Amino acid sequence: YGLHLPLGLQGFFSLEEGLEAAKKAGKPVFVDVTGHGCVNCREMESRVWSDPVVLGMLKNDFVLVALYTDDKQKLPENEWVTDAASGKVYKDLGRVNSYIARTNWNVNAQPNYILLSPEGEVLVPVRGYDLSVEGFIDFLQSGIDAYNAN
């Protein structure tokens, strides 16, 4: 999709690819519901993700997926999504990602962070914008602990 993750992190830009990679790697998934125009997302990345402990956990303990909910890229027809309730067809990456976030995790804002098992099950409650580095480390660790408990 021509997208990138911050801070030299590597990951995926579709949930399906991330879940598949997590199954192969035997790791939980860190989903970043983000946007190009999201000021709070950039602040989280620069002030929280950049912490050496957080960055190490993101690099080593998770498969990362960034879902850009404001990306205007048109998708090929085989990647369009139809809203079951309204019948509306989503044809661009951002609208598809926004639909995924709303329907799977009931979030409609950025940033939101979701920790999933490789099967797509939510491991711990969703976390939003919060600049507490210690709180973010605890959030990540709770997802690792929940994943390892299974």
Side-chain angles (χ1 to χ4, degrees):
Y1 299 107
L3 302 171
H4 70 280
L5 289 165
L7 305 168
L9 292 165
Q10 300 297 311
F12 300 89
F13 301 97
S14 85
L15 184 58
E16 297 78 21
E17 289 176 345
L19 291 172
E20 190 60 36
K23 288 175 188 168
K24 291 177 183 168
K27 293 181 180 182
V29 179
F30 175 91
V31 178
D32 174 21
V33 178
T34 189
H36 298 293
C38 175
V39 173
N40 288 341
C41 300
R42 301 299 85 78
E43 188 175 21
M44 283 293 294
E45 293 160 5
S46 69
R47 293 180 57 185
V48 178
W49 290 27
S50 64
D51 175 82
V53 174
V54 172
L55 193 56
M57 293 175 85
L58 291 173
K59 281 184 180 176
N60 301 316
D61 300 325
F62 293 91
V63 170
L64 275 55
V65 175
L67 298 180
Y68 281 83
T69 60
D70 62 353
D71 195 278
K72 304 295 186 210
Q73 286 183 68
K74 297 297 179 207
L75 296 172
E77 191 170 346
N78 65 328
E79 295 181 27
W80 294 357
V81 172
T82 302
D83 185 323
S86 70
K88 185 172 176 100
V89 179
Y90 301 112
K91 300 178 181 181
D92 65 58
L93 183 62
R95 286 191 175 97
V96 167
N97 285 340
S98 183
Y99 176 77
I100 290 168
R102 284 192 321 273
T103 57
N104 288 340
W105 312 301
N106 200 32
V107 297
N108 194 24
Q110 313 148 345
N112 269 289
Y113 308 106
I114 302 96
L115 303 182
L116 302 175
S117 72
E119 293 73 39
E121 299 163 2
V122 176
L123 296 170
V124 296
V126 172
R127 185 175 177 89
Y129 175 80
D130 183 331
L131 295 174
S132 167
V133 171
E134 296 79 15
F136 205 79
I137 292 168
D138 290 345
F139 167 69
L140 295 175
Q141 188 60 54
S142 69
I144 293 167
D145 292 346
Y147 173 73
N148 289 331
N150 292 336

PDB file of all heavy atoms in Angstrom, residues 77-114:
ATOM      1  N   GLU A  77     -11.367  -4.214  -6.794  1.00  0.00           N
ATOM      2  CA  GLU A  77     -12.741  -4.612  -6.480  1.00  0.00           C
ATOM      3  C   GLU A  77     -12.815  -5.823  -5.554  1.00  0.00           C
ATOM      4  O   GLU A  77     -13.706  -5.911  -4.705  1.00  0.00           O
ATOM      5  CB  GLU A  77     -13.518  -4.878  -7.772  1.00  0.00           C
ATOM      6  CG  GLU A  77     -14.998  -5.023  -7.553  1.00  0.00           C
ATOM      7  CD  GLU A  77     -15.799  -5.037  -8.842  1.00  0.00           C
ATOM      8  OE1 GLU A  77     -15.254  -4.673  -9.901  1.00  0.00           O
ATOM      9  OE2 GLU A  77     -16.977  -5.432  -8.775  1.00  0.00           O
ATOM     10  N   ASN A  78     -11.853  -6.742  -5.665  1.00  0.00           N
ATOM     11  CA  ASN A  78     -11.899  -7.939  -4.820  1.00  0.00           C
ATOM     12  C   ASN A  78     -11.581  -7.642  -3.352  1.00  0.00           C
ATOM     13  O   ASN A  78     -11.735  -8.497  -2.495  1.00  0.00           O
ATOM     14  CB  ASN A  78     -10.962  -9.031  -5.356  1.00  0.00           C
ATOM     15  CG  ASN A  78      -9.498  -8.638  -5.289  1.00  0.00           C
ATOM     16  OD1 ASN A  78      -9.154  -7.464  -5.411  1.00  0.00           O
ATOM     17  ND2 ASN A  78      -8.644  -9.615  -5.107  1.00  0.00           N
ATOM     18  N   GLU A  79     -11.157  -6.399  -3.039  1.00  0.00           N
ATOM     19  CA  GLU A  79     -10.889  -6.007  -1.657  1.00  0.00           C
ATOM     20  C   GLU A  79     -11.948  -5.057  -1.094  1.00  0.00           C
ATOM     21  O   GLU A  79     -11.850  -4.619   0.048  1.00  0.00           O
ATOM     22  CB  GLU A  79      -9.493  -5.367  -1.548  1.00  0.00           C
ATOM     23  CG  GLU A  79      -8.372  -6.331  -1.859  1.00  0.00           C
ATOM     24  CD  GLU A  79      -6.990  -5.692  -1.734  1.00  0.00           C
ATOM     25  OE1 GLU A  79      -6.831  -4.731  -0.950  1.00  0.00           O
ATOM     26  OE2 GLU A  79      -6.080  -6.156  -2.433  1.00  0.00           O
ATOM     27  N   TRP A  80     -12.972  -4.741  -1.877  1.00  0.00           N
ATOM     28  CA  TRP A  80     -14.060  -3.897  -1.391  1.00  0.00           C
ATOM     29  C   TRP A  80     -14.806  -4.643  -0.294  1.00  0.00           C
ATOM     30  O   TRP A  80     -14.856  -5.885  -0.274  1.00  0.00           O
ATOM     31  CB  TRP A  80     -15.031  -3.554  -2.501  1.00  0.00           C
ATOM     32  CG  TRP A  80     -14.465  -2.677  -3.596  1.00  0.00           C
ATOM     33  CD1 TRP A  80     -13.209  -2.125  -3.667  1.00  0.00           C
ATOM     34  CD2 TRP A  80     -15.128  -2.286  -4.779  1.00  0.00           C
ATOM     35  NE1 TRP A  80     -13.065  -1.400  -4.819  1.00  0.00           N
ATOM     36  CE2 TRP A  80     -14.230  -1.477  -5.529  1.00  0.00           C
ATOM     37  CE3 TRP A  80     -16.398  -2.512  -5.283  1.00  0.00           C
ATOM     38  CZ2 TRP A  80     -14.578  -0.909  -6.747  1.00  0.00           C
ATOM     39  CZ3 TRP A  80     -16.739  -1.954  -6.502  1.00  0.00           C
ATOM     40  CH2 TRP A  80     -15.846  -1.156  -7.225  1.00  0.00           C
ATOM     41  N   VAL A  81     -15.412  -3.884   0.604  1.00  0.00           N
ATOM     42  CA  VAL A  81     -16.182  -4.464   1.702  1.00  0.00           C
ATOM     43  C   VAL A  81     -17.582  -3.867   1.675  1.00  0.00           C
ATOM     44  O   VAL A  81     -17.739  -2.658   1.532  1.00  0.00           O
ATOM     45  CB  VAL A  81     -15.502  -4.168   3.063  1.00  0.00           C
ATOM     46  CG1 VAL A  81     -16.378  -4.591   4.218  1.00  0.00           C
ATOM     47  CG2 VAL A  81     -14.145  -4.858   3.133  1.00  0.00           C
ATOM     48  N   THR A  82     -18.575  -4.735   1.824  1.00  0.00           N
ATOM     49  CA  THR A  82     -19.966  -4.292   1.881  1.00  0.00           C
ATOM     50  C   THR A  82     -20.455  -4.363   3.317  1.00  0.00           C
ATOM     51  O   THR A  82     -20.345  -5.404   3.969  1.00  0.00           O
ATOM     52  CB  THR A  82     -20.864  -5.168   0.979  1.00  0.00           C
ATOM     53  OG1 THR A  82     -20.363  -5.101  -0.354  1.00  0.00           O
ATOM     54  CG2 THR A  82     -22.302  -4.694   1.013  1.00  0.00           C
ATOM     55  N   ASP A  83     -20.974  -3.241   3.812  1.00  0.00           N
ATOM     56  CA  ASP A  83     -21.536  -3.171   5.158  1.00  0.00           C
ATOM     57  C   ASP A  83     -22.815  -4.004   5.176  1.00  0.00           C
ATOM     58  O   ASP A  83     -23.765  -3.717   4.435  1.00  0.00           O
ATOM     59  CB  ASP A  83     -21.832  -1.706   5.487  1.00  0.00           C
ATOM     60  CG  ASP A  83     -22.310  -1.511   6.906  1.00  0.00           C
ATOM     61  OD1 ASP A  83     -23.056  -2.362   7.435  1.00  0.00           O
ATOM     62  OD2 ASP A  83     -21.960  -0.474   7.496  1.00  0.00           O
ATOM     63  N   ALA A  84     -22.834  -5.022   6.024  1.00  0.00           N
ATOM     64  CA  ALA A  84     -23.979  -5.924   6.078  1.00  0.00           C
ATOM     65  C   ALA A  84     -25.252  -5.197   6.510  1.00  0.00           C
ATOM     66  O   ALA A  84     -26.346  -5.522   6.047  1.00  0.00           O
ATOM     67  CB  ALA A  84     -23.690  -7.081   7.026  1.00  0.00           C
ATOM     68  N   ALA A  85     -25.131  -4.212   7.377  1.00  0.00           N
ATOM     69  CA  ALA A  85     -26.307  -3.515   7.891  1.00  0.00           C
ATOM     70  C   ALA A  85     -26.882  -2.519   6.881  1.00  0.00           C
ATOM     71  O   ALA A  85     -28.088  -2.478   6.675  1.00  0.00           O
ATOM     72  CB  ALA A  85     -25.954  -2.788   9.191  1.00  0.00           C
ATOM     73  N   SER A  86     -26.035  -1.742   6.244  1.00  0.00           N
ATOM     74  CA  SER A  86     -26.521  -0.673   5.369  1.00  0.00           C
ATOM     75  C   SER A  86     -26.458  -1.007   3.883  1.00  0.00           C
ATOM     76  O   SER A  86     -27.089  -0.344   3.077  1.00  0.00           O
ATOM     77  CB  SER A  86     -25.705   0.608   5.605  1.00  0.00           C
ATOM     78  OG  SER A  86     -24.384   0.435   5.112  1.00  0.00           O
ATOM     79  N   GLY A  87     -25.639  -2.004   3.535  1.00  0.00           N
ATOM     80  CA  GLY A  87     -25.444  -2.322   2.127  1.00  0.00           C
ATOM     81  C   GLY A  87     -24.438  -1.417   1.440  1.00  0.00           C
ATOM     82  O   GLY A  87     -24.147  -1.575   0.256  1.00  0.00           O
ATOM     83  N   LYS A  88     -23.900  -0.448   2.174  1.00  0.00           N
ATOM     84  CA  LYS A  88     -22.922   0.483   1.606  1.00  0.00           C
ATOM     85  C   LYS A  88     -21.631  -0.267   1.266  1.00  0.00           C
ATOM     86  O   LYS A  88     -21.185  -1.123   2.022  1.00  0.00           O
ATOM     87  CB  LYS A  88     -22.637   1.593   2.609  1.00  0.00           C
ATOM     88  CG  LYS A  88     -21.739   2.672   2.067  1.00  0.00           C
ATOM     89  CD  LYS A  88     -21.663   3.843   3.046  1.00  0.00           C
ATOM     90  CE  LYS A  88     -20.699   4.859   2.539  1.00  0.00           C
ATOM     91  NZ  LYS A  88     -21.311   5.978   1.879  1.00  0.00           N
ATOM     92  N   VAL A  89     -21.040   0.067   0.124  1.00  0.00           N
ATOM     93  CA  VAL A  89     -19.810  -0.571  -0.327  1.00  0.00           C
ATOM     94  C   VAL A  89     -18.640   0.376  -0.088  1.00  0.00           C
ATOM     95  O   VAL A  89     -18.670   1.529  -0.537  1.00  0.00           O
ATOM     96  CB  VAL A  89     -19.890  -0.952  -1.823  1.00  0.00           C
ATOM     97  CG1 VAL A  89     -18.586  -1.594  -2.280  1.00  0.00           C
ATOM     98  CG2 VAL A  89     -21.070  -1.884  -2.071  1.00  0.00           C
ATOM     99  N   TYR A  90     -17.631  -0.112   0.631  1.00  0.00           N
ATOM    100  CA  TYR A  90     -16.433   0.675   0.916  1.00  0.00           C
ATOM    101  C   TYR A  90     -15.358   0.272  -0.081  1.00  0.00           C
ATOM    102  O   TYR A  90     -15.008  -0.903  -0.183  1.00  0.00           O
ATOM    103  CB  TYR A  90     -15.969   0.454   2.354  1.00  0.00           C
ATOM    104  CG  TYR A  90     -17.033   0.843   3.360  1.00  0.00           C
ATOM    105  CD1 TYR A  90     -17.665  -0.110   4.126  1.00  0.00           C
ATOM    106  CD2 TYR A  90     -17.414   2.173   3.500  1.00  0.00           C
ATOM    107  CE1 TYR A  90     -18.645   0.252   5.038  1.00  0.00           C
ATOM    108  CE2 TYR A  90     -18.392   2.547   4.403  1.00  0.00           C
ATOM    109  CZ  TYR A  90     -18.996   1.577   5.177  1.00  0.00           C
ATOM    110  OH  TYR A  90     -19.976   1.942   6.070  1.00  0.00           O
ATOM    111  N   LYS A  91     -14.835   1.277  -0.807  1.00  0.00           N
ATOM    112  CA  LYS A  91     -13.939   1.014  -1.931  1.00  0.00           C
ATOM    113  C   LYS A  91     -12.533   1.554  -1.730  1.00  0.00           C
ATOM    114  O   LYS A  91     -11.684   1.360  -2.579  1.00  0.00           O
ATOM    115  CB  LYS A  91     -14.522   1.620  -3.212  1.00  0.00           C
ATOM    116  CG  LYS A  91     -15.891   1.067  -3.580  1.00  0.00           C
ATOM    117  CD  LYS A  91     -16.433   1.729  -4.823  1.00  0.00           C
ATOM    118  CE  LYS A  91     -17.811   1.190  -5.173  1.00  0.00           C
ATOM    119  NZ  LYS A  91     -18.330   1.807  -6.397  1.00  0.00           N
ATOM    120  N   ASP A  92     -12.272   2.265  -0.617  1.00  0.00           N
ATOM    121  CA  ASP A  92     -10.913   2.749  -0.392  1.00  0.00           C
ATOM    122  C   ASP A  92     -10.379   2.206   0.936  1.00  0.00           C
ATOM    123  O   ASP A  92     -11.142   1.769   1.803  1.00  0.00           O
ATOM    124  CB  ASP A  92     -10.805   4.271  -0.482  1.00  0.00           C
ATOM    125  CG  ASP A  92     -11.565   5.008   0.600  1.00  0.00           C
ATOM    126  OD1 ASP A  92     -11.284   4.779   1.791  1.00  0.00           O
ATOM    127  OD2 ASP A  92     -12.419   5.831   0.256  1.00  0.00           O
ATOM    128  N   LEU A  93      -9.068   2.199   1.063  1.00  0.00           N
ATOM    129  CA  LEU A  93      -8.398   1.571   2.197  1.00  0.00           C
ATOM    130  C   LEU A  93      -8.868   2.136   3.527  1.00  0.00           C
ATOM    131  O   LEU A  93      -9.156   1.390   4.461  1.00  0.00           O
ATOM    132  CB  LEU A  93      -6.877   1.730   2.053  1.00  0.00           C
ATOM    133  CG  LEU A  93      -6.026   1.058   3.125  1.00  0.00           C
ATOM    134  CD1 LEU A  93      -6.223  -0.446   3.109  1.00  0.00           C
ATOM    135  CD2 LEU A  93      -4.561   1.416   2.922  1.00  0.00           C
ATOM    136  N   GLY A  94      -8.962   3.449   3.638  1.00  0.00           N
ATOM    137  CA  GLY A  94      -9.363   4.066   4.899  1.00  0.00           C
ATOM    138  C   GLY A  94     -10.761   3.681   5.328  1.00  0.00           C
ATOM    139  O   GLY A  94     -10.987   3.367   6.498  1.00  0.00           O
ATOM    140  N   ARG A  95     -11.693   3.694   4.409  1.00  0.00           N
ATOM    141  CA  ARG A  95     -13.072   3.335   4.766  1.00  0.00           C
ATOM    142  C   ARG A  95     -13.187   1.864   5.142  1.00  0.00           C
ATOM    143  O   ARG A  95     -13.916   1.504   6.057  1.00  0.00           O
ATOM    144  CB  ARG A  95     -14.019   3.698   3.634  1.00  0.00           C
ATOM    145  CG  ARG A  95     -14.248   5.190   3.538  1.00  0.00           C
ATOM    146  CD  ARG A  95     -15.392   5.531   2.590  1.00  0.00           C
ATOM    147  NE  ARG A  95     -15.651   6.955   2.610  1.00  0.00           N
ATOM    148  CZ  ARG A  95     -15.173   7.809   1.721  1.00  0.00           C
ATOM    149  NH1 ARG A  95     -14.417   7.397   0.723  1.00  0.00           N
ATOM    150  NH2 ARG A  95     -15.456   9.099   1.814  1.00  0.00           N
ATOM    151  N   VAL A  96     -12.453   1.010   4.449  1.00  0.00           N
ATOM    152  CA  VAL A  96     -12.452  -0.417   4.808  1.00  0.00           C
ATOM    153  C   VAL A  96     -11.872  -0.599   6.206  1.00  0.00           C
ATOM    154  O   VAL A  96     -12.438  -1.301   7.047  1.00  0.00           O
ATOM    155  CB  VAL A  96     -11.683  -1.256   3.756  1.00  0.00           C
ATOM    156  CG1 VAL A  96     -11.394  -2.658   4.268  1.00  0.00           C
ATOM    157  CG2 VAL A  96     -12.466  -1.309   2.444  1.00  0.00           C
ATOM    158  N   ASN A  97     -10.731   0.066   6.479  1.00  0.00           N
ATOM    159  CA  ASN A  97     -10.112  -0.064   7.797  1.00  0.00           C
ATOM    160  C   ASN A  97     -11.001   0.506   8.899  1.00  0.00           C
ATOM    161  O   ASN A  97     -11.080  -0.061   9.994  1.00  0.00           O
ATOM    162  CB  ASN A  97      -8.744   0.610   7.812  1.00  0.00           C
ATOM    163  CG  ASN A  97      -7.704  -0.206   7.089  1.00  0.00           C
ATOM    164  OD1 ASN A  97      -7.848  -1.400   6.889  1.00  0.00           O
ATOM    165  ND2 ASN A  97      -6.633   0.448   6.686  1.00  0.00           N
ATOM    166  N   SER A  98     -11.658   1.619   8.625  1.00  0.00           N
ATOM    167  CA  SER A  98     -12.575   2.202   9.594  1.00  0.00           C
ATOM    168  C   SER A  98     -13.729   1.241   9.888  1.00  0.00           C
ATOM    169  O   SER A  98     -14.130   1.055  11.043  1.00  0.00           O
ATOM    170  CB  SER A  98     -13.099   3.541   9.067  1.00  0.00           C
ATOM    171  OG  SER A  98     -13.925   4.147  10.019  1.00  0.00           O
ATOM    172  N   TYR A  99     -14.250   0.615   8.850  1.00  0.00           N
ATOM    173  CA  TYR A  99     -15.320  -0.376   9.017  1.00  0.00           C
ATOM    174  C   TYR A  99     -14.840  -1.549   9.872  1.00  0.00           C
ATOM    175  O   TYR A  99     -15.547  -1.993  10.780  1.00  0.00           O
ATOM    176  CB  TYR A  99     -15.793  -0.853   7.638  1.00  0.00           C
ATOM    177  CG  TYR A  99     -16.834  -1.935   7.703  1.00  0.00           C
ATOM    178  CD1 TYR A  99     -18.162  -1.634   8.013  1.00  0.00           C
ATOM    179  CD2 TYR A  99     -16.497  -3.259   7.457  1.00  0.00           C
ATOM    180  CE1 TYR A  99     -19.128  -2.627   8.078  1.00  0.00           C
ATOM    181  CE2 TYR A  99     -17.459  -4.260   7.513  1.00  0.00           C
ATOM    182  CZ  TYR A  99     -18.768  -3.944   7.825  1.00  0.00           C
ATOM    183  OH  TYR A  99     -19.716  -4.937   7.891  1.00  0.00           O
ATOM    184  N   ILE A 100     -13.636  -2.032   9.611  1.00  0.00           N
ATOM    185  CA  ILE A 100     -13.064  -3.134  10.398  1.00  0.00           C
ATOM    186  C   ILE A 100     -12.972  -2.736  11.866  1.00  0.00           C
ATOM    187  O   ILE A 100     -13.368  -3.499  12.757  1.00  0.00           O
ATOM    188  CB  ILE A 100     -11.680  -3.543   9.845  1.00  0.00           C
ATOM    189  CG1 ILE A 100     -11.830  -4.239   8.483  1.00  0.00           C
ATOM    190  CG2 ILE A 100     -10.925  -4.431  10.832  1.00  0.00           C
ATOM    191  CD1 ILE A 100     -10.519  -4.413   7.729  1.00  0.00           C
ATOM    192  N   ALA A 101     -12.462  -1.539  12.141  1.00  0.00           N
ATOM    193  CA  ALA A 101     -12.304  -1.078  13.524  1.00  0.00           C
ATOM    194  C   ALA A 101     -13.652  -0.919  14.223  1.00  0.00           C
ATOM    195  O   ALA A 101     -13.806  -1.308  15.385  1.00  0.00           O
ATOM    196  CB  ALA A 101     -11.521   0.230  13.556  1.00  0.00           C
ATOM    197  N   ARG A 102     -14.632  -0.373  13.520  1.00  0.00           N
ATOM    198  CA  ARG A 102     -15.969  -0.183  14.113  1.00  0.00           C
ATOM    199  C   ARG A 102     -16.652  -1.508  14.392  1.00  0.00           C
ATOM    200  O   ARG A 102     -17.224  -1.701  15.461  1.00  0.00           O
ATOM    201  CB  ARG A 102     -16.860   0.652  13.193  1.00  0.00           C
ATOM    202  CG  ARG A 102     -16.560   2.117  13.178  1.00  0.00           C
ATOM    203  CD  ARG A 102     -17.663   2.932  12.468  1.00  0.00           C
ATOM    204  NE  ARG A 102     -18.226   2.315  11.284  1.00  0.00           N
ATOM    205  CZ  ARG A 102     -17.726   2.434  10.050  1.00  0.00           C
ATOM    206  NH1 ARG A 102     -16.626   3.146   9.841  1.00  0.00           N
ATOM    207  NH2 ARG A 102     -18.319   1.859   9.012  1.00  0.00           N
ATOM    208  N   THR A 103     -16.611  -2.400  13.420  1.00  0.00           N
ATOM    209  CA  THR A 103     -17.374  -3.635  13.575  1.00  0.00           C
ATOM    210  C   THR A 103     -16.682  -4.663  14.461  1.00  0.00           C
ATOM    211  O   THR A 103     -17.348  -5.418  15.165  1.00  0.00           O
ATOM    212  CB  THR A 103     -17.700  -4.269  12.202  1.00  0.00           C
ATOM    213  OG1 THR A 103     -16.490  -4.494  11.488  1.00  0.00           O
ATOM    214  CG2 THR A 103     -18.613  -3.370  11.389  1.00  0.00           C
ATOM    215  N   ASN A 104     -15.355  -4.699  14.450  1.00  0.00           N
ATOM    216  CA  ASN A 104     -14.644  -5.691  15.263  1.00  0.00           C
ATOM    217  C   ASN A 104     -14.417  -5.249  16.699  1.00  0.00           C
ATOM    218  O   ASN A 104     -14.448  -6.080  17.610  1.00  0.00           O
ATOM    219  CB  ASN A 104     -13.291  -6.041  14.636  1.00  0.00           C
ATOM    220  CG  ASN A 104     -13.427  -6.861  13.386  1.00  0.00           C
ATOM    221  OD1 ASN A 104     -14.450  -7.488  13.145  1.00  0.00           O
ATOM    222  ND2 ASN A 104     -12.404  -6.848  12.558  1.00  0.00           N
ATOM    223  N   TRP A 105     -14.124  -3.941  16.897  1.00  0.00           N
ATOM    224  CA  TRP A 105     -13.693  -3.497  18.233  1.00  0.00           C
ATOM    225  C   TRP A 105     -14.472  -2.301  18.741  1.00  0.00           C
ATOM    226  O   TRP A 105     -14.157  -1.757  19.797  1.00  0.00           O
ATOM    227  CB  TRP A 105     -12.194  -3.188  18.216  1.00  0.00           C
ATOM    228  CG  TRP A 105     -11.412  -4.288  17.578  1.00  0.00           C
ATOM    229  CD1 TRP A 105     -11.361  -5.603  17.977  1.00  0.00           C
ATOM    230  CD2 TRP A 105     -10.604  -4.200  16.404  1.00  0.00           C
ATOM    231  NE1 TRP A 105     -10.571  -6.324  17.130  1.00  0.00           N
ATOM    232  CE2 TRP A 105     -10.082  -5.489  16.144  1.00  0.00           C
ATOM    233  CE3 TRP A 105     -10.256  -3.163  15.544  1.00  0.00           C
ATOM    234  CZ2 TRP A 105      -9.236  -5.763  15.068  1.00  0.00           C
ATOM    235  CZ3 TRP A 105      -9.425  -3.428  14.480  1.00  0.00           C
ATOM    236  CH2 TRP A 105      -8.928  -4.714  14.247  1.00  0.00           C
ATOM    237  N   ASN A 106     -15.495  -1.862  18.011  1.00  0.00           N
ATOM    238  CA  ASN A 106     -16.349  -0.765  18.432  1.00  0.00           C
ATOM    239  C   ASN A 106     -15.568   0.518  18.684  1.00  0.00           C
ATOM    240  O   ASN A 106     -15.856   1.253  19.627  1.00  0.00           O
ATOM    241  CB  ASN A 106     -17.168  -1.164  19.672  1.00  0.00           C
ATOM    242  CG  ASN A 106     -18.378  -0.285  19.865  1.00  0.00           C
ATOM    243  OD1 ASN A 106     -18.963   0.194  18.896  1.00  0.00           O
ATOM    244  ND2 ASN A 106     -18.739  -0.054  21.105  1.00  0.00           N
ATOM    245  N   VAL A 107     -14.540   0.771  17.873  1.00  0.00           N
ATOM    246  CA  VAL A 107     -13.789   2.018  17.974  1.00  0.00           C
ATOM    247  C   VAL A 107     -13.949   2.815  16.680  1.00  0.00           C
ATOM    248  O   VAL A 107     -13.973   2.247  15.592  1.00  0.00           O
ATOM    249  CB  VAL A 107     -12.284   1.806  18.294  1.00  0.00           C
ATOM    250  CG1 VAL A 107     -12.120   1.148  19.652  1.00  0.00           C
ATOM    251  CG2 VAL A 107     -11.581   1.014  17.226  1.00  0.00           C
ATOM    252  N   ASN A 108     -14.078   4.120  16.846  1.00  0.00           N
ATOM    253  CA  ASN A 108     -14.273   5.003  15.700  1.00  0.00           C
ATOM    254  C   ASN A 108     -13.436   6.261  15.878  1.00  0.00           C
ATOM    255  O   ASN A 108     -13.874   7.356  15.572  1.00  0.00           O
ATOM    256  CB  ASN A 108     -15.760   5.345  15.556  1.00  0.00           C
ATOM    257  CG  ASN A 108     -16.071   5.955  14.212  1.00  0.00           C
ATOM    258  OD1 ASN A 108     -15.353   5.740  13.241  1.00  0.00           O
ATOM    259  ND2 ASN A 108     -17.140   6.725  14.145  1.00  0.00           N
ATOM    260  N   ALA A 109     -12.237   6.090  16.439  1.00  0.00           N
ATOM    261  CA  ALA A 109     -11.353   7.222  16.683  1.00  0.00           C
ATOM    262  C   ALA A 109      -9.913   6.748  16.566  1.00  0.00           C
ATOM    263  O   ALA A 109      -9.636   5.551  16.574  1.00  0.00           O
ATOM    264  CB  ALA A 109     -11.613   7.800  18.070  1.00  0.00           C
ATOM    265  N   GLN A 110      -9.009   7.711  16.488  1.00  0.00           N
ATOM    266  CA  GLN A 110      -7.579   7.417  16.416  1.00  0.00           C
ATOM    267  C   GLN A 110      -6.897   8.211  17.516  1.00  0.00           C
ATOM    268  O   GLN A 110      -7.324   9.333  17.780  1.00  0.00           O
ATOM    269  CB  GLN A 110      -6.991   7.857  15.080  1.00  0.00           C
ATOM    270  CG  GLN A 110      -7.750   7.473  13.871  1.00  0.00           C
ATOM    271  CD  GLN A 110      -7.579   8.519  12.773  1.00  0.00           C
ATOM    272  OE1 GLN A 110      -7.127   9.627  12.982  1.00  0.00           O
ATOM    273  NE2 GLN A 110      -7.999   8.166  11.575  1.00  0.00           N
ATOM    274  N   PRO A 111      -5.860   7.701  18.122  1.00  0.00           N
ATOM    275  CA  PRO A 111      -5.416   6.321  17.981  1.00  0.00           C
ATOM    276  C   PRO A 111      -6.189   5.386  18.906  1.00  0.00           C
ATOM    277  O   PRO A 111      -6.687   5.803  19.942  1.00  0.00           O
ATOM    278  CB  PRO A 111      -3.955   6.389  18.432  1.00  0.00           C
ATOM    279  CG  PRO A 111      -3.953   7.462  19.485  1.00  0.00           C
ATOM    280  CD  PRO A 111      -4.978   8.475  19.005  1.00  0.00           C
ATOM    281  N   ASN A 112      -6.256   4.150  18.510  1.00  0.00           N
ATOM    282  CA  ASN A 112      -6.716   3.064  19.366  1.00  0.00           C
ATOM    283  C   ASN A 112      -5.793   1.893  19.125  1.00  0.00           C
ATOM    284  O   ASN A 112      -5.312   1.694  17.997  1.00  0.00           O
ATOM    285  CB  ASN A 112      -8.167   2.681  19.084  1.00  0.00           C
ATOM    286  CG  ASN A 112      -9.129   3.476  19.953  1.00  0.00           C
ATOM    287  OD1 ASN A 112      -9.209   3.264  21.153  1.00  0.00           O
ATOM    288  ND2 ASN A 112      -9.848   4.410  19.337  1.00  0.00           N
ATOM    289  N   TYR A 113      -5.549   1.151  20.190  1.00  0.00           N
ATOM    290  CA  TYR A 113      -4.614   0.026  20.135  1.00  0.00           C
ATOM    291  C   TYR A 113      -5.332  -1.221  20.620  1.00  0.00           C
ATOM    292  O   TYR A 113      -5.945  -1.221  21.686  1.00  0.00           O
ATOM    293  CB  TYR A 113      -3.374   0.320  20.988  1.00  0.00           C
ATOM    294  CG  TYR A 113      -2.756   1.651  20.630  1.00  0.00           C
ATOM    295  CD1 TYR A 113      -2.887   2.753  21.453  1.00  0.00           C
ATOM    296  CD2 TYR A 113      -2.092   1.809  19.410  1.00  0.00           C
ATOM    297  CE1 TYR A 113      -2.346   3.979  21.098  1.00  0.00           C
ATOM    298  CE2 TYR A 113      -1.554   3.040  19.043  1.00  0.00           C
ATOM    299  CZ  TYR A 113      -1.684   4.116  19.901  1.00  0.00           C
ATOM    300  OH  TYR A 113      -1.158   5.342  19.533  1.00  0.00           O
ATOM    301  N   ILE A 114      -5.235  -2.282  19.819  1.00  0.00           N
ATOM    302  CA  ILE A 114      -5.913  -3.531  20.107  1.00  0.00           C
ATOM    303  C   ILE A 114      -4.876  -4.644  20.093  1.00  0.00           C
ATOM    304  O   ILE A 114      -4.083  -4.743  19.155  1.00  0.00           O
ATOM    305  CB  ILE A 114      -7.036  -3.821  19.076  1.00  0.00           C
ATOM    306  CG1 ILE A 114      -8.067  -2.671  19.045  1.00  0.00           C
ATOM    307  CG2 ILE A 114      -7.741  -5.120  19.421  1.00  0.00           C
ATOM    308  CD1 ILE A 114      -7.848  -1.656  17.994  1.00  0.00           C
TER     309      ILE A 114
END
